[in-house]
Amino acid sequence: MDKREGTMQSREHKITHIEPGSIADELEIKPGDYLLSVNGVQIEDVFDYHYQLNEEYVTIVTRSRDGEEWEYEIEKDYEDDLGIEFENGLMDQYRSCSNKCIFCFIDQMPPGMRETLYFKDDDSRLSFLQGNYITLTNMKDRDIDRIITYKLAPVNISVHTMDAKLRCKMLNNRFAGEALKKMQRLYEAGIEMNGQIVLCKGVNDKEALAYSIKELTKYLPHMRSVSVVPVGLTKYRSGLYPLEPFTKEEAKDVLRMIRKWQEACMQQWGTHFIHASDEWYLLAEEDLPPADCYDGYLQLENGVGMLRLLLEEFHEALRAGQQKTACAGKISAATGMLAAPFIKKLAEEFMQQHTERQIEVFAVRNDFFGEQITVSGLLTGQDLLRQLKGRDLGDTLLLPCSLLRSGEDLFLDDMTVVELKNALQVNIVIVNSNGQDLYDAFME
């Protein structure tokens, strides 16, 4: 460890936490210090940082709170972390979206909500950190170079259509079609990808969808999966591109096309490749595919196979709990209109085995965003309150974790779980999105 003269011009990253017992703790690096460089490299973001740390001998330069610069020469195991957390987890500013998509959900948000809900991110780095899907439109050649150099994967891509002109129209970005060529570079470098198609009625469906699937198969095996999800339409679409929801029969048509391509892909490549999100099956009132049709559940975050996995896990828990006794009395569960019949069936199966328990499932209509929004993840506290107030909810109300932002107890409208609990005068339990946790919640 050496004290240095403060001559180096570098990007600075404020340290906010040091893990006790870590390498940084032993070196007496403190919260409030700044990281200036690693191995002589100015750190742009979290990927630069971790890439440079993957060495057995590392040199870092910091500046302490009193302005002194220190250089540390560190010998460690190859993959050991230093135990440093930074003020910004990305170690850089988030990149906002440069598109004006005709289906953008944020453009359909009402005014007056918290500021973070209006931020449109299209940051490739969040694709790796959080599984976000990106359009590739604001990525430079240097960004692709870094992905290839650092071997970052998978890259989750919002494709929407492989027709370059149509993509420019859908994203309202004249560079959107050209951006598709970046997938070829990723493919040639062997970078794993996942794709997403937000399907808009009369725009990128039918023949356009078939064309997109056909073109995307050219990126197999590095393009591991592609999901097709229906566009979400709120009641706040005044002045926006005219879009309509899919009907039951149209959902059946989408599923027929996807099954046709799944059969072809299985024959040629041994993978189903193209997947419909769960909403399509619920809308079409068709049975969910068996578990082996989801190729390992590669797109759970897009709602692809989430209900099938929940069902499999719940049935496994139900079989294991045949000799158990559930708590007596009534409880309730509330969820969105789309999933409510599915959850109600699970509750009925549970009550057949555990007759001492009574469970009532409430389907909550989305008045806040509009009745066309039927998924549970977009329900607000005020809709829950208005529609459940005065109902016999029993001892406990179960709510899915998708209603809350990760790590917070806030609904989309900033109502807290405690506020809802006090208003309804009922104990509230947030249930994780797996079958075992749902079974446990029914039991306890």
Side-chain angles (χ1 to χ4, degrees):
M1 178 176 71
D2 297 307
K3 184 177 179 181
R4 290 169 43 104
E5 295 298 326
T7 58
M8 185 176 181
Q9 296 289 327
S10 67
R11 299 184 64 156
E12 302 176 349
H13 301 282
K14 187 177 182 179
I15 297 168
T16 55
H17 177 73
I18 299 296
E19 187 69 25
S22 64
I23 294 173
D25 190 27
E26 294 176 3
L27 294 174
E28 298 184 353
I29 298 173
K30 303 294 184 185
D33 293 352
Y34 287 83
L35 175 72
L36 303 185
S37 70
V38 180
N39 298 334
V41 175
Q42 296 180 354
I43 300 301
E44 177 180 334
D45 58 24
V46 65
F47 297 122
D48 281 343
Y49 176 67
H50 286 295
Y51 184 75
Q52 293 298 328
L53 283 188
N54 284 338
E55 300 289 347
E56 294 180 347
Y57 298 94
V58 175
T59 300
I60 69 171
V61 177
T62 68
R63 190 182 72 242
S64 63
R65 285 168 289 181
D66 58 13
E68 293 182 344
E69 289 188 12
W70 294 86
E71 182 177 275
Y72 302 87
E73 295 182 356
I74 302 166
E75 183 177 353
K76 64 179 187 64
D77 290 337
Y78 179 81
E79 294 183 348
D80 277 356
D81 189 61
L82 300 183
I84 297 175
E85 294 181 12
F86 298 94
E87 186 174 36
N88 181 334
L90 192 59
M91 300 178 71
D92 193 16
Q93 296 299 311
Y94 292 98
R95 298 176 186 171
S96 62
C97 183
S98 58
N99 308 309
K100 186 71 173 175
C101 298
I102 63 173
F103 52 83
C104 179
F105 192 84
I106 293 176
D107 289 340
Q108 305 177 67
M109 298 272 276
M113 304 185 74
R114 61 177 179 268
E115 186 177 349
T116 54
L117 293 177
Y118 299 102
F119 179 74
K120 300 181 183 181
D121 75 72
D122 193 21
D123 199 315
S124 61
R125 295 164 298 186
L126 297 180
S127 182
F128 313 107
L129 294 174
Q130 300 175 8
N132 293 21
Y133 279 72
I134 57 172
T135 65
L136 304 175
T137 56
N138 68 1
M139 294 185 69
K140 311 298 183 188
D141 288 340
R142 178 178 175 276
D143 297 318
I144 300 295
D145 291 340
R146 289 211 312 157
I147 289 172
I148 294 171
T149 299
Y150 295 171
K151 295 180 172 60
L152 299 172
V155 183
N156 295 327
I157 303 171
S158 289
V159 179
H160 306 315
T161 179
M162 289 297 289
D163 182 319
K165 290 183 179 180
L166 179 57
R167 194 169 196 255
C168 291
K169 173 185 174 181
M170 291 187 69
L171 274 59
N172 270 317
N173 185 327
R174 62 192 178 95
F175 302 109
E178 190 72 14
L180 290 172
K181 295 179 180 178
K182 296 181 174 71
M183 287 196 296
Q184 183 65 30
R185 285 199 61 199
L186 296 173
Y187 169 77
E188 291 172 355
I191 300 296
E192 288 188 344
M193 298 173 278
N194 294 303
Q196 175 196 60
I197 295 173
V198 174
L199 206 63
C200 299
K201 182 176 175 178
V203 180
N204 61 335
D205 56 348
K206 298 182 179 178
E207 292 83 3
L209 175 60
Y211 174 78
S212 294
I213 298 172
K214 178 182 177 182
E215 290 300 299
L216 285 166
T217 60
K218 296 177 181 179
Y219 296 111
L220 279 160
H222 303 313
M223 178 70 76
R224 302 187 305 168
S225 67
V226 176
S227 62
V228 179
V229 301
V231 62
L233 303 175
T234 79
K235 63 183 181 182
Y236 301 98
R237 288 196 57 83
S238 177
L240 299 179
Y241 188 93
L243 291 174
E244 297 179 357
F246 287 90
T247 66
K248 175 181 175 180
E249 289 305 314
E250 288 164 344
K252 288 181 175 292
D253 290 340
V254 170
L255 292 176
R256 275 192 288 269
M257 179 182 292
I258 288 176
R259 280 192 288 266
K260 174 186 173 183
W261 278 99
Q262 285 180 331
E263 292 172 3
C265 289
M266 277 298 295
Q267 289 181 1
Q268 188 165 356
W269 292 286
T271 177
H272 293 87
F273 183 62
I274 184 76
H275 300 276
S277 64
D278 294 347
E279 296 106 304
W280 293 110
Y281 296 98
L282 297 178
L283 180 58
E285 298 181 4
E286 293 189 7
D287 292 337
L288 297 167
D292 59 7
C293 287
Y294 288 101
D295 299 336
Y297 299 106
L298 295 172
Q299 296 213 27
L300 280 176
E301 71 282 354
N302 264 338
V304 177
M306 187 174 290
L307 291 180
R308 168 53 68 186
L309 183 59
L310 176 72
L311 183 64
E312 297 289 319
E313 293 169 340
F314 185 84
H315 283 166
E316 183 177 347
L318 203 61
R319 288 190 295 270
Q322 288 181 358
Q323 305 305 317
K324 296 180 180 180
T325 301
C327 294
K330 179 179 180 179
I331 62 172
S332 55
T335 188
M337 299 293 288
L338 198 63
F342 182 84
I343 300 301
K344 185 176 180 180
K345 287 181 181 179
L346 298 186
E348 289 170 350
E349 290 181 25
F350 182 91
M351 289 186 289
Q352 288 175 2
Q353 181 168 303
H354 299 283
T355 56
E356 66 278 11
R357 172 64 95 190
Q358 182 183 358
I359 306 169
E360 186 170 2
V361 177
F362 292 94
V364 180
R365 184 181 62 254
N366 199 320
D367 292 331
F368 187 88
F369 287 111
E371 293 185 27
Q372 291 182 15
I373 299 296
T374 57
V375 295
S376 59
L378 292 173
L379 287 175
T380 58
Q382 57 190 273
D383 279 342
L384 291 166
L385 176 58
R386 287 171 185 158
Q387 296 175 49
L388 298 179
K389 186 74 171 176
R391 308 294 290 269
D392 180 10
L393 302 176
D395 298 327
T396 298
L397 172 64
L398 308 180
L399 296 176
C401 63
S402 59
L403 271 65
L404 306 178
R405 189 169 180 175
S406 179
E408 299 181 2
D409 70 342
L410 288 174
F411 298 101
L412 281 173
D413 57 354
D414 285 344
M415 182 183 289
T416 68
V417 174
V418 172
E419 288 171 341
L420 181 63
K421 171 185 175 181
N422 292 337
L424 293 176
Q425 290 296 294
V426 67
N427 179 45
I428 292 179
V429 171
I430 304 300
V431 184
N432 290 328
S433 56
N434 66 74
Q436 181 66 57
D437 280 4
L438 180 60
Y439 173 85
D440 292 342
F442 284 170
M443 284 289 292
E444 301 295 335

